[in-house]
Amino acid sequence: MNGNGPINMQMLYRNMSIFGYSKAKILKIEGFTKDPTKIQIHFTLNKISIISDYKLKGQILLFPMEGAGKSNNTMLDWDFYWNATVKLVEKNNEKYLKLEKYNTRFTTSRIWFFFENLFNGDQTLGKTANDFFNDNWEFLFNEMKPILFKTAGKFFSTLVSIPFSKIPYKEFFQEEE
C-alpha cells in the first residue's frame, strides 16, 4: 500500500499459514468444457485466518508505524470469486490446463487484525494500533482491496495451477456419452 492516501505502508508477509480453506462451500464452478477458455469459481467460507510473520513500515493518517513479528488476520463470511482465462497445452501427448490470467474479488462481513510487536514492542502503542485497526476495519479493507485481491488471487491461482499442470485435462472434463 503505497501512495498519497490515508494509508501509506510497506508490508511484507512471510511464512504464511492459511486456515479455513478445507471448509469451503463451493457455490459455482463453470468453464470445464471440451475446449476451455474461461473458468469461474465461487465459494464461501465462514472463517479464514492468515497467520504469518510480518514486517511493516509506514503511516496511517500521518501517524508513523513500524513493527515486525507475528500477525493474525481473520475474516468472517468470506465470499470469494475467481475468474480465469485458460488454454489447453500439450505435454507428453496429453493436454493440460494452463492458467493465463485471473481476476479475484471477495467480500467479508468482518476482519480482525492482530500485529504483535508494533512500535518495537511498546505494549500501549501496539494495543492502541491494533484497536484502531479493528475499530476501523471497513475503512482499512476498502483502502487495502487492491493488494488483498491481488494476494488472494495469487494464492488461489497457485493452488489450482498445481493440479492443472500435473493432471491431464481429460480427468477434469469427460464428455458425455
Side-chain angles (χ1 to χ4, degrees):
M1 296 170 283
N2 278 327
N4 297 323
I7 299 176
N8 183 2
M9 198 172 304
Q10 293 178 335
M11 296 184 80
L12 174 67
Y13 287 98
R14 288 199 166 147
N15 303 320
M16 294 175 79
S17 295
I18 300 175
F19 300 93
Y21 265 108
S22 65
K23 297 185 186 219
K25 180 180 179 187
I26 308 238
L27 302 177
K28 178 180 182 181
I29 295 179
E30 285 186 350
F32 287 92
T33 61
K34 184 174 182 173
D35 189 19
T37 57
K38 294 183 181 186
I39 292 178
Q40 297 178 347
I41 299 175
H42 175 202
F43 65 88
T44 59
L45 291 168
N46 291 334
K47 177 176 159 181
I48 184 166
S49 296
I50 303 162
I51 313 293
S52 66
D53 297 327
Y54 84 94
K55 187 174 187 179
L56 73 81
K57 185 173 185 170
Q59 64 186 39
I60 294 181
L61 303 173
L62 303 177
F63 188 68
M65 300 194 70
E66 190 171 342
K70 295 284 184 194
S71 72
N72 179 344
N73 300 306
T74 297
M75 292 177 271
L76 303 180
D77 304 316
W78 206 51
D79 197 0
F80 183 86
Y81 299 84
W82 183 79
N83 299 300
T85 303
V86 296
K87 72 177 182 177
L88 291 176
V89 294
E90 195 160 323
K91 180 172 66 171
N92 301 327
N93 294 323
E94 294 279 4
K95 290 186 178 183
Y96 293 84
L97 201 57
K98 181 178 181 192
L99 180 62
E100 297 212 293
K101 56 184 175 177
Y102 57 86
N103 184 20
T104 304
R105 72 185 197 290
F106 62 85
T107 60
T108 182
S109 68
R110 184 68 162 104
I111 301 177
W112 295 100
F113 297 98
F114 176 75
F115 297 96
E116 75 172 17
N117 199 40
L118 285 169
F119 305 101
N120 296 317
D122 183 305
Q123 296 295 317
T124 303
L125 287 176
K127 181 181 179 336
T128 301
N130 278 303
D131 288 347
F132 173 82
F133 294 151
N134 289 308
D135 291 344
N136 296 283
W137 75 270
E138 287 178 286
F139 167 75
L140 294 171
F141 175 63
N142 287 327
E143 288 293 314
M144 295 168 50
K145 273 183 185 176
I147 192 71
L148 291 173
F149 290 178
K150 182 179 178 181
T151 302
K154 186 173 184 176
F155 174 78
F156 187 75
S157 297
T158 300
L159 193 67
V160 297
S161 290
I162 294 168
F164 288 171
S165 68
K166 296 184 187 276
I167 301 170
Y169 183 67
K170 67 184 178 187
E171 301 297 321
F172 293 104
F173 170 77
Q174 294 182 351
E175 291 188 59
E176 292 182 28
E177 296 179 16

